[in-house]
Amino acid sequence: MKVIVSKEIETVCPRFVGACVEAKVENSSYNAALWHEIEQMGERFRSELTTDSLKELPSIAATRKVYHACGKDPSRYRPASEQLIRRMLQGKQLYQRDTLVDLVNLASIAYGYSIGGFDADKFVGDTLTLGIGRAGEPYEGIGRGTINIEGLPVYRDEWGGVGTPTSDNERTKMTLSTRSLCVLINGYDGNEERVRANAQYIQQLLQRYCASDGGSYFIY
């Protein structure tokens, strides 16, 4: 898979750094050890953060800043990483989906980046382009129905939008039958070292929980 960062994203975020992890995987409906890691992360965050200080984390603050620059209210369309950590801080349980979804959520929580996880076999074409959503552009968020993605950063394949930092698309979502995984990390803070560490962390999680060799990743 090739990933292109459009000029419109470069204009609003010249420092953007992304990473793409690709791997062959085996999914499962639930993994107790993975959930133990997620619960431990929640306990640590509740001792270190509040719902106000959460917004000041560099990875989240940078994503919110790009939302503003693109014309979107980040308090109405919260980045997924902020949604997840905020839910933990409020003492609420995260929604348990399946091992791949839960794993991607943990990786997003751990580093604060909004991360898209996709079934790579559902992409149309061999290129994803990161741009900005347009008025009236069709987009069905996972479990959310139609979403207005105007002003949201969005990855598109040949058929249209597949992922935003707020919600991925139903069309390319991961399921229990997913075997080819693509994960996209959005580093709007420009911290390549941290984005790379997040990609390597995902590889480690895949090795532990998804019968995978961890695959490979590249920075873009």
Side-chain angles (χ1 to χ4, degrees):
M1 182 59 61
K2 295 182 293 230
V3 183
I4 297 171
V5 180
S6 69
K7 293 294 183 183
E8 56 187 354
I9 289 293
E10 290 179 350
T11 297
V12 297
C13 187
R15 301 177 60 220
F16 176 83
V17 177
C20 176
V21 180
E22 297 174 295
K24 294 299 182 182
V25 296
E26 291 183 15
N27 200 2
S28 58
S29 58
Y30 177 76
N31 187 292
L34 173 60
W35 267 91
H36 180 64
E37 282 202 53
I38 292 171
E39 289 165 354
Q40 285 185 314
M41 189 79 66
E43 290 176 6
R44 179 167 69 82
F45 280 174
R46 283 189 289 273
S47 71
E48 296 175 355
L49 293 171
T50 67
T51 53
D52 286 330
S53 65
L54 166 63
K55 299 174 186 177
E56 299 169 7
L57 292 177
S59 49
I60 291 176
T63 306
R64 291 175 63 89
K65 183 177 179 181
V66 167
Y67 271 39
H68 278 301
C70 293
K72 210 68 168 177
D73 180 0
S75 293
R76 183 177 179 190
Y77 295 85
R78 295 186 193 278
S81 55
E82 183 181 347
Q83 294 176 41
L84 291 167
I85 300 173
R86 183 181 177 86
R87 187 172 180 84
M88 280 183 157
L89 295 177
Q90 292 172 333
K92 299 176 182 177
Q93 280 285 99
L94 296 188
Y95 297 110
Q96 192 276 319
R97 302 300 187 191
D98 57 55
T99 298
L100 280 178
V101 173
D102 300 339
L103 183 153
V104 169
N105 284 344
L106 173 58
S108 179
I109 290 163
Y111 284 80
Y113 292 120
S114 287
I115 299 176
F118 308 92
D119 186 325
D121 291 331
K122 296 178 181 178
F123 289 143
V124 179
D126 64 355
T127 303
L128 297 174
T129 302
L130 177 59
I132 298 175
R134 298 181 288 265
E137 184 171 358
Y139 192 93
E140 185 179 0
I142 297 175
R144 300 169 64 124
T146 301
I147 295 178
N148 172 17
I149 66 166
E150 180 182 5
L152 282 178
V154 57
Y155 288 95
R156 300 182 180 95
D157 65 5
E158 288 185 11
W159 275 13
V162 298
T164 75
T166 291
S167 176
D168 293 331
N169 198 305
E170 282 279 353
R171 174 168 65 88
T172 50
K173 72 179 182 181
M174 302 176 292
T175 67
L176 287 175
S177 61
T178 295
R179 295 295 177 266
S180 297
L181 175 69
C182 176
V183 181
L184 302 175
I185 304 169
N186 297 287
Y188 289 100
D189 60 356
N191 189 334
E192 181 175 337
E193 181 179 355
R194 203 156 186 272
V195 168
R196 191 179 295 276
N198 200 171
Q200 294 168 348
Y201 178 58
I202 290 169
Q203 290 183 297
Q204 294 165 10
L205 292 175
L206 291 173
Q207 290 170 343
R208 287 206 292 272
Y209 301 122
C210 296
S212 173
D213 65 2
S216 61
Y217 75 91
F218 61 87
I219 300 293
Y220 56 90

